[in-house]
Amino acid sequence: MLLQIGQKPEHDFHEPIGMLEDCHKRILFFLKTLIRVSSEATTEPLNPDQRTILEKALRYFRESGPRHTADEEESLFPHLRRIDSPEIGEVFVKIDSLESDHRWADQQHLEVDSICRRWLDSGVCPQPGLDQLREILNNLLAFYERHIRLEETEVFSAARALLSDSGKEAVGQEMARRRGITSERP
Ligand SMILES: [Fe+2]
Ligand SMILES: [Fe+2]
């Protein structure tokens, strides 16, 4: 996703919660891309531009999407679960429901990947695969809009308020290591 003129620069590993929100923008961007390509699909074969766009979006959900889920489930949420504060109890319940949301989304992405790979292989998206694909993608968009809203308003805001600076730094370093990057302050 290219940075547009006038758009705020993306966060770095020293601002891990901001980075997670940047990832949410990319999830929605690539999902809407898939929706657009599937809505434009006809009985004609994919043209080279559509093929490139489709491959890029699929690669995002195959490689970067699972890393985002791991950033939440293996880094941010465990750090939150270690907080001992009367305000955190309700957040734990929301984290549990977000994790079961992730399992549902994983299944939907597997379906999307499978249909789109068949589409790329043959060049033409076969019916009823196309109808099924459009339905799954629209469900995923509604799902992500709700899921992201819940994460950002209920869980990330609690993380910003309740995680210590060293806790936030630790989350950022775990996210960096997950990408093979060592992020030490100079
Ligand atoms: Fe999530
Ligand atoms: Fe998320």
Side-chain angles (χ1 to χ4, degrees):
M1 195 163 74
L2 290 174
L3 192 66
Q4 309 279 318
I5 292 167
Q7 191 179 326
K8 279 202 288 185
E10 299 217 322
H11 298 85
D12 64 20
F13 291 107
H14 300 297
E15 301 164 288
I17 300 163
M19 270 191 86
L20 292 170
E21 290 171 343
D22 293 338
C23 284
H24 286 168
K25 292 191 184 80
R26 282 192 286 276
I27 288 170
L28 293 174
F29 171 84
F30 283 112
L31 191 56
K32 287 175 184 171
T33 298
L34 287 176
I35 289 174
R36 195 180 67 247
V37 175
S38 68
S39 74
E40 289 168 1
T42 62
T43 50
E44 293 296 309
L46 282 165
N47 66 40
D49 284 348
Q50 290 172 318
R51 181 174 284 277
T52 303
I53 290 168
L54 193 53
E55 283 170 343
K56 201 170 167 190
L58 289 182
R59 191 165 59 246
Y60 178 81
F61 286 112
R62 220 167 30 238
E63 296 173 6
S64 304
R67 269 202 298 268
H68 176 76
T69 303
D71 289 340
E72 291 175 346
E73 294 193 355
E74 294 169 28
S75 295
L76 182 68
F77 297 169
H79 279 275
L80 280 171
R81 283 190 169 110
R82 277 180 226 134
I83 293 175
D84 184 14
S85 149
E87 301 147 73
I88 199 83
E90 279 186 29
V91 177
F92 292 163
V93 176
K94 287 176 182 131
I95 288 175
D96 290 345
S97 93
L98 290 170
E99 286 179 329
S100 60
D101 274 4
H102 291 160
R103 302 291 79 75
W104 179 85
D106 289 346
Q107 285 306 313
Q108 308 310 303
H109 283 297
L110 284 177
E111 281 291 318
V112 168
D113 196 70
S114 154
I115 296 170
C116 289
R117 278 170 188 253
R118 277 188 276 133
W119 188 6
L120 285 165
D121 284 347
S122 72
V124 180
C125 192
Q127 291 286 354
L130 184 56
D131 289 338
Q132 192 192 352
L133 178 64
R134 288 171 173 160
E135 189 184 339
I136 298 171
L137 290 172
N138 283 317
N139 289 342
L140 269 172
L141 181 59
F143 159 83
Y144 273 117
E145 285 173 342
R146 183 191 60 77
H147 180 88
I148 286 171
R149 195 178 324 117
L150 178 64
E151 282 184 341
E152 293 189 357
T153 59
E154 309 277 346
V155 177
F156 293 2
S157 58
R160 280 195 167 97
L162 300 173
L163 267 183
S164 62
D165 287 348
S166 62
K168 287 175 190 148
E169 196 69 23
V171 171
Q173 289 191 7
E174 289 173 30
M175 288 167 60
R177 277 199 295 277
R178 193 164 286 119
R179 290 156 179 83
I181 298 164
T182 23
S183 136
E184 302 294 340
R185 278 211 186 273

